[in-house]
């Protein structure tokens, strides 16, 4: 059971970071400036390269460390890597462009869609059941 919970948390975290990093980085560029527009295109290429290289390193270097030095070393190096990444991110925050979203919250907008979807779903079920019968 613990394995499945850990895999679920890992998948949720991985999907969250992979979805938010490109949009966070793209938010740092001004689309109206032609020079920054070209830089934004390069940014997406480098993000994809970093994700692929990160997967390659994690599947080779960390596995080699765990096989030759032990699991404690493998998890330790991974934890230190994540700690360094958080430190670099926090150190770079003053240089980030922070855009405050105008209007309502995204979470509120998503929650407002849920009742609408449930009403539409019951309508679709009624249509499907009436056409089948």
């Amino acid at each position: 059971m613990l394995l499945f919970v850990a895999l679920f948390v890992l998948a949720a975290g991985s999907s969250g970071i992979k979805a938010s990093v490109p949009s966070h980085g793209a938010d740092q560029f001004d689309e109206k400036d032609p020079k920054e527009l070209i830089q934004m295109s390069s940014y997406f290429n480098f993000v994809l390269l970093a994700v692929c290289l990160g997967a390659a390193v994690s599947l080779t270097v960390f596995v080699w460390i765990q096989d030759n030095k032990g699991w404690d070393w493998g998890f330790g190096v991974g934890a230190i890597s994540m700690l360094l990444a958080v430190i670099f991110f926090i150190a770079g925050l003053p240089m980030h462009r922070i855009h405050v979203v105008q209007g309502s919250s995204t979470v509120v907008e998503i929650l407002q869609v849920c009742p609408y979807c449930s009403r539409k779903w019951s309508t679709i079920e009624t249509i499907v059941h009436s056409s089948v019968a």
Side-chain angles (χ1 to χ4, degrees):
M1 179 70 180
L2 182 62
L3 174 67
F4 292 117
V5 171
L7 288 174
F8 175 75
V9 170
L10 179 71
S14 178
S15 63
I17 194 73
K18 287 183 181 179
S20 65
V21 166
S23 60
H24 175 75
D27 199 29
Q28 304 304 307
F29 296 98
D30 185 10
E31 295 176 1
K32 296 174 182 142
D33 184 6
K35 184 178 177 184
E36 287 194 21
L37 193 61
I38 293 170
Q39 291 174 342
M40 184 167 50
S41 175
S42 297
Y43 165 76
F44 285 116
N45 291 334
F46 283 119
V47 166
L48 183 59
L49 177 68
V51 168
C52 292
L53 284 177
V57 167
S58 68
L59 290 174
T60 55
V61 173
F62 288 135
V63 171
W64 182 86
I65 290 171
Q66 288 178 346
D67 284 345
N68 293 312
K69 301 291 183 183
W71 281 65
D72 53 345
W73 275 91
F75 283 116
V77 171
I80 291 169
S81 300
M82 287 186 275
L83 180 65
L84 287 173
V86 169
I87 290 170
F88 281 123
F89 179 76
I90 291 172
L93 274 178
M95 295 182 285
H96 288 188
R97 293 179 184 168
I98 307 290
H99 299 286
V100 179
V101 177
Q102 302 296 326
S104 65
S105 168
T106 305
V107 175
V108 171
E109 291 178 6
I110 291 171
L111 291 176
Q112 288 173 343
V113 170
C114 292
Y116 177 76
C117 290
S118 66
R119 286 194 304 270
K120 291 297 270 186
W121 182 257
S122 62
T123 305
I124 291 170
E125 282 184 341
T126 304
I127 293 170
V128 169
H129 289 301
S130 65
S131 65
V132 172

